[in-house]
Amino acid sequence: MKESKMGFVVRHWAPQMLILDHPATGAMVTHCGWNSIMEAVAAGKPMITWPLFGEQFYNEKLVTDVLRIGVAVGVREWSFDWWRLGKEVVKRGQVEKAVEFLMGGGVEAAEMRKRVRKLAEDAKKAVES
């Protein structure tokens, strides 16, 4: 980021819904917690899934296999504290592949975006008074 002068890092709390609603945001990398999934769906953004532990692996299956509105980076092992252990659970190339798939303009990714936008519309209709 320093070299390209693009992007920024938010070190503390971030206004996630405002970021997701921004037209420049094309997808969300999520740990597959339920709130994050709901926020991505409400914003109509497809997801790159990176579960860490617990039910997040089940949530990932819902997003990727059932609803088909996300792509997995390939985490296969429950790992709550991988950063402290210095353990590599996902390789850089796996993340790159998922990003290229979603942002590359392929037919399958376009269908994924269409499905998640429809879910967002349905969610908004469900809460209208």
Side-chain angles (χ1 to χ4, degrees):
M1 288 188 318
K2 286 181 182 179
E3 292 171 12
S4 69
K5 305 282 193 248
M6 295 178 66
F8 61 94
V9 174
V10 178
R11 295 183 188 266
H12 301 287
W13 179 86
Q16 185 162 292
M17 287 305 301
L18 291 175
I19 293 167
L20 286 172
D21 283 334
H22 195 280
T25 303
M28 175 183 179
V29 176
T30 177
H31 69 299
C32 298
W34 195 244
N35 286 340
S36 294
I37 290 171
M38 291 294 101
E39 289 175 351
V41 168
K45 304 296 181 184
M47 289 163 265
I48 296 171
T49 60
W50 185 331
L52 299 173
F53 58 90
E55 81 287 352
Q56 295 167 359
F57 287 90
Y58 296 113
N59 295 344
E60 176 186 48
K61 292 297 181 192
L62 175 68
V63 168
T64 59
D65 296 349
V66 178
L67 298 174
R68 297 183 355 244
I69 57 172
V71 60
V73 295
V75 177
R76 297 287 172 247
E77 186 178 334
W78 194 97
S79 184
F80 181 71
D81 56 356
W82 58 269
W83 57 88
R84 281 194 303 231
L85 300 174
K87 185 176 182 182
E88 184 177 85
V89 293
V90 174
K91 296 195 180 298
R92 173 181 166 170
Q94 292 171 269
V95 176
E96 181 180 8
K97 184 178 176 183
V99 171
E100 285 178 351
F101 172 82
L102 273 182
M103 306 310 289
V107 174
E108 194 175 349
E111 287 297 318
M112 193 176 287
R113 284 190 290 278
K114 184 177 176 181
R115 280 191 294 275
V116 75
R117 281 194 303 266
K118 173 73 168 105
L119 286 172
E121 290 172 17
D122 292 347
K124 286 177 179 122
K125 287 178 187 173
V127 295
E128 288 178 349
S129 41

